[in-house]
Amino acid sequence: MNSSDYNKYLAAIKAANDAADKDALRKIQAQLIANYGLSDNDVDYLIRQFRYNI
């Protein structure tokens, strides 16, 4: 994952966490997995940043 995408996903995750928007987190998670797969270390880290279990 390039750094630009990483930063965009991280910002979106932080915004969804602040808004307690679990639906947005679900969409972000699905998009991360679809685009990069679970084997990407960045994806693993970003998913661990979710404040809520989805």
Side-chain angles (χ1 to χ4, degrees):
M1 172 182 308
N2 64 44
S3 61
S4 175
D5 287 347
Y6 177 87
N7 290 328
K8 287 178 187 177
Y9 278 114
L10 186 58
I13 290 167
K14 287 180 180 181
N17 281 338
D18 290 345
D21 189 348
K22 291 182 181 182
D23 187 50
L25 290 171
R26 280 187 203 95
K27 290 177 183 176
I28 293 167
Q29 182 181 35
Q31 199 173 39
L32 279 169
I33 293 169
N35 291 337
Y36 300 101
L38 288 173
S39 61
D40 189 306
N41 290 335
D42 290 334
V43 171
D44 181 53
Y45 177 78
L46 288 170
I47 290 173
R48 286 187 281 127
Q49 299 310 301
F50 288 14
R51 188 178 301 159
Y52 303 96
N53 292 327
I54 54 171

